[in-house]
Amino acid sequence: MKRVAAVLVLVPLAIALVGPFVPYDAREGLPYSSAGLLGTDGLGRDVFGLLLVGGRSALGMALGAVVLAYVVGGMVGLTAASTRYRWLDEGLMRPLDVLLPLPSLLVISVVAVGWRASALAITVAVAMVNVPTVARLVRAAALDAASGPVVEALRMQRESWVRIQLGYVGRSVLGPVAADLGTRITLAVFLVASVNFLGLGLSPTAPDWAVSVSRNREGLLLQPWSVLAPALLLVSFTLGFNLLADRLVHRSRAAA
């Protein structure tokens, strides 16, 4: 099962990373024709050629959002867990608690409409809706280590805050963060794909996989690969990551 999950993740990831550099001669033709390896889409563009370049935005935006969410949320969570001042802990976490109940897709859709076709805006919006949960997770996982005797000893030795938090306390949250990573990445891919599928994100002519599914769904019976190929890559990536995350969670529970 582990090998199957790895293949499900690596195939779309490899296409997203290497695809734009593959020397493929894309053939254009009539809309929904059989020209090329997988035919053409509704605009007469080569479907296989679009697959090679469309994963860069489909997966790149989601993975970038997850990295940004962990950087911001992780720093907030570590700071809140290690501070000796209750007012600072409350000041960091309470605003995030207010943001937590907001519907993620609605927030991202509003941002996407305001900054039309901006990949950066969508990436930042997806990251920000994930920051509250990441910060709460990191804070909860770091509390015991941050208040333990080892940290007190390091403070007495005048070690820097960065070395204490990232060098010692940060290691204590690696297990929970790793277990959360699969769910977080899957959610980010879902949010990015949903915004693009609804036509609120990237341009309707962008080669993005979710945009391709949305734009060509009316021609599913005429040229099924124009819809099925990008959809299968998205499903493969999210399904594979979920399987890997479940295996990681079970392994961490067994070790505990």
Side-chain angles (χ1 to χ4, degrees):
M1 183 61 70
K2 181 180 179 180
R3 293 181 180 179
V4 173
V7 170
L8 290 175
V9 172
L10 290 177
V11 169
L13 187 60
I15 293 175
L17 292 175
V18 183
F21 307 102
V22 173
Y24 174 72
D25 184 18
R27 298 182 180 180
E28 296 187 358
L30 296 175
Y32 302 125
S33 71
S34 58
L37 291 177
L38 298 177
T40 61
D41 69 349
L43 296 178
R45 300 175 300 180
D46 191 296
V47 171
F48 187 74
L50 294 176
L51 290 181
L52 293 177
V53 298
R56 181 168 50 185
S57 59
L59 301 185
M61 291 165 61
L63 295 177
V66 171
V67 171
L68 182 59
Y70 275 113
V71 170
V72 177
M75 293 304 297
V76 171
L78 285 176
T79 304
S82 61
T83 183
R84 297 178 177 180
Y85 305 104
R86 183 175 179 82
W87 62 266
L88 180 57
D89 185 12
E90 295 286 337
L92 289 172
M93 300 306 298
R94 288 297 169 261
L96 298 182
D97 292 341
V98 174
L99 297 176
L100 195 60
L102 295 178
S104 300
L105 187 56
L106 177 61
V107 174
I108 299 169
S109 298
V110 171
V111 173
V113 170
W115 286 271
R116 187 73 175 181
S118 173
L120 178 60
I122 297 173
T123 301
V124 172
V126 173
M128 289 303 101
V129 299
N130 281 282
V131 164
T133 51
V134 170
R136 288 169 63 92
L137 171 70
V138 172
R139 179 184 178 276
L143 274 175
D144 289 340
S147 59
V150 176
V151 170
E152 292 298 328
L154 291 173
R155 285 172 176 167
M156 293 178 64
Q157 295 175 9
R158 299 184 181 276
E159 296 288 352
S160 66
W161 185 92
V162 173
R163 183 171 181 179
I164 294 174
Q165 299 306 317
L166 300 184
Y168 174 71
V169 179
R171 290 201 300 265
S172 66
V173 306
L174 291 180
V177 166
D180 177 70
L181 190 61
T183 303
R184 196 68 48 199
I185 290 178
T186 300
L187 176 61
V189 172
F190 167 76
L191 291 174
V192 170
S194 297
V195 172
N196 289 331
F197 179 83
L198 294 173
L200 302 174
L202 299 179
S203 168
T205 59
D208 181 87
W209 292 344
V211 174
S212 296
V213 173
S214 174
R215 184 173 185 84
N216 298 308
R217 64 185 187 276
E218 295 180 355
L220 178 61
L221 298 180
L222 297 175
Q223 178 49 269
W225 285 118
S226 62
V227 176
L228 294 181
L232 286 174
L233 290 175
L234 286 171
V235 171
S236 172
F237 185 81
T238 55
L239 178 60
F241 244 110
N242 270 328
L243 292 175
L244 290 177
D246 288 342
R247 185 177 181 85
L248 185 60
V249 170
H250 291 320
R251 179 177 297 180
S252 62
R253 289 177 178 174

